[in-house]
Structure formats: structure tokens, C-alpha cells
């Protein structure tokens, strides 16, 4: 049996380089060097601890809130001023004419004095509820009849199939 050279045993282990003349190499790998030895700190203007201690955040917040409130008040005052500037006489001159037909269409004279919402809640709603209940009962009866008819049809079909199988088995048997 002939073996390849890859299967030969190693009699001498690989040894690192020897120092030449007793002096070792001064080369150090970049991966072995120290890195990131200093932590970053906040600089001036980056909300450092000293700056935060010297600031009064509550008063700053209150001043910003008061500015916003003043801006809102200014906006409301400006709107009121613009409303006052509008000439009411021009609006009254150009007001639309109201026809009698429109007034009759939206007349609320038929509304009861005691009922402010405009609906008669006594007999009309009771009649509507009775009608709705009667319709629901008719629908329920119709559904029950359909289910009974479907069940009877299914039983009849099953009986016919059973009779047919009985006849076929009687013809095939001795």
C-alpha cells in the first residue's frame, strides 16, 4: 500500500523564530496595541454637569409657557380686532331675501309646547314597535318553516337512498 505524503507523521514540531543575535524583534502587531484609552466628555455648550447645575430650568419653562400664552392672547385679540373692523351695514344690505315658502317648509308650529325635541313619543313609537315586533315574528315563523321543510327533504332523500341500497343488495345476493 502506497501512502501519500500528507499522511506522514510529524517528528519535529514547528517552532517559532529564533532571536537573531540575542535581540528579539521590536515589531508589535496593530491588533495587540491599546486602543480607546480615553473616554469622551461633554464640552461647553453640550449640557455638561456644571452648566446644568447653574441653570434654573423651572424659570426657563415658566417663561416659555408665558410667551406662548401671550402669543395666544395676541392671536385672539387680533381676531377680535378684525371682527370689529367688518362693516355690519354692508352685511345687512346684502342679506338674502327669505321667501314665505321657505318659512313654511321649516315651520315648527306643529310641535307641541310641552315637547321641546319635536317628537311625539307616545303612540307613534308604540305603533312602530308593535309593527316591528309583528314583522319579526312573521320572519321567525318563515325561518322555522324553511328549516322544517329542509329537514323533511333531507330525511326523505336519506330514506330513498336506503331503500335503493336495500334493493341493490337484494338483487346481488343469492
Amino acid at each position: 500500500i502506497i501512502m501519500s505524503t500528507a499522511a506522514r507523521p510529524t517528528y519535529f514540531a514547528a517552532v517559532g523564530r529564533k532571536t537573531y543575535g540575542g535581540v528579539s524583534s521590536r515589531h508589535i502587531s496593530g491588533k495587540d496595541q491599546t486602543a480607546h484609552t480615553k473616554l469622551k466628555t461633554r464640552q461647553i455648550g453640550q449640557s455638561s454637569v456644571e452648566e446644568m447645575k447653574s441653570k434654573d430650568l423651572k424659570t426657563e419653562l415658566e417663561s416659555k409657557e408665558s410667551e406662548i400664552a401671550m402669543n395666544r392672547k395676541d392671536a385672539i385679540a387680533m381676531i377680535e380686532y378684525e371682527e370689529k373692523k367688518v362693516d355690519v351695514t354692508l352685511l345687512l344690505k346684502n342679506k338674502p331675501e327669505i321667501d314665505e315658502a321657505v318659512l313654511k317648509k321649516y315651520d315648527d308650529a306643529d310641535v307641541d309646547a310641552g315637547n321641546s325635541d319635536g317628537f311625539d313619543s307616545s303612540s307613534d313609537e308604540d305603533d312602530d314597535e308593535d309593527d316591528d315586533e309583528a314583522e319579526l315574528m312573521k320572519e321567525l315563523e318563515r325561518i322555522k318553516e324553511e328549516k322544517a321543510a329542509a329537514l323533511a327533504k333531507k330525511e326523505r332523500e336519506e330514506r330513498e337512498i336506503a331503500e335503493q341500497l336495500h334493493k341493490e343488495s337484494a338483487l346481488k345476493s343469492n
Side-chain angles (χ1 to χ4, degrees):
I1 295 180
I2 300 173
M3 296 181 69
S4 69
T5 58
R8 293 186 180 171
T10 304
Y11 293 110
F12 302 104
V15 180
R17 294 185 197 157
K18 294 182 179 179
T19 58
Y20 297 105
V23 178
S24 63
S25 172
R26 292 186 181 205
H27 181 277
I28 298 174
S29 172
K31 295 177 183 175
D32 293 335
Q33 292 178 352
T34 56
H36 304 292
T37 57
K38 295 181 183 177
L39 292 175
K40 290 184 177 180
T41 56
R42 291 182 186 258
Q43 301 298 318
I44 296 173
Q46 293 182 333
S47 302
S48 64
V49 176
E50 295 85 26
E51 288 179 10
M52 296 308 290
K53 285 181 183 177
S54 65
K55 284 186 180 180
D56 189 10
L57 298 176
K58 186 175 181 181
T59 55
E60 286 182 16
L61 177 66
E62 289 172 353
S63 66
K64 287 180 182 178
E65 286 178 348
S66 64
E67 283 181 33
I68 292 171
M70 290 300 292
N71 289 341
R72 285 186 184 159
K73 287 180 185 176
D74 290 344
I76 292 172
M78 188 181 301
I79 291 171
E80 290 173 352
Y81 174 73
E82 292 293 326
E83 287 176 350
K84 288 178 184 176
K85 282 192 343 184
V86 173
D87 190 12
V88 179
T89 57
L90 289 176
L91 291 175
L92 292 176
K93 283 182 185 177
N94 298 329
K95 83 175 179 181
E97 295 294 324
I98 300 174
D99 296 335
E100 291 297 320
V102 174
L103 288 176
K104 287 180 182 177
K105 181 179 179 183
Y106 295 107
D107 187 20
D108 290 336
D110 59 342
V111 176
D112 293 334
N115 191 359
S116 62
D117 61 354
F119 294 107
D120 185 17
S121 61
S122 60
S123 64
D124 291 342
E125 289 181 7
D126 292 341
D127 292 342
D128 290 343
E129 288 176 8
D130 293 340
D131 293 342
D132 292 343
E133 188 174 334
E135 287 179 31
L136 289 174
M137 292 305 289
K138 288 179 185 177
E139 184 72 19
L140 181 63
E141 288 298 322
R142 187 183 59 79
I143 291 172
K144 284 182 181 179
E145 289 173 1
E146 288 177 359
K147 284 185 179 180
L151 183 63
K153 182 179 178 183
K154 184 177 178 183
E155 288 177 357
R156 185 175 58 245
E157 289 175 355
E158 288 177 356
R159 198 173 335 114
E160 288 174 0
I161 291 172
E163 288 175 4
Q164 187 177 5
L165 289 175
H166 182 67
K167 286 180 183 178
E168 289 177 6
S169 65
L171 291 175
K172 290 182 181 177
S173 64
N174 289 338

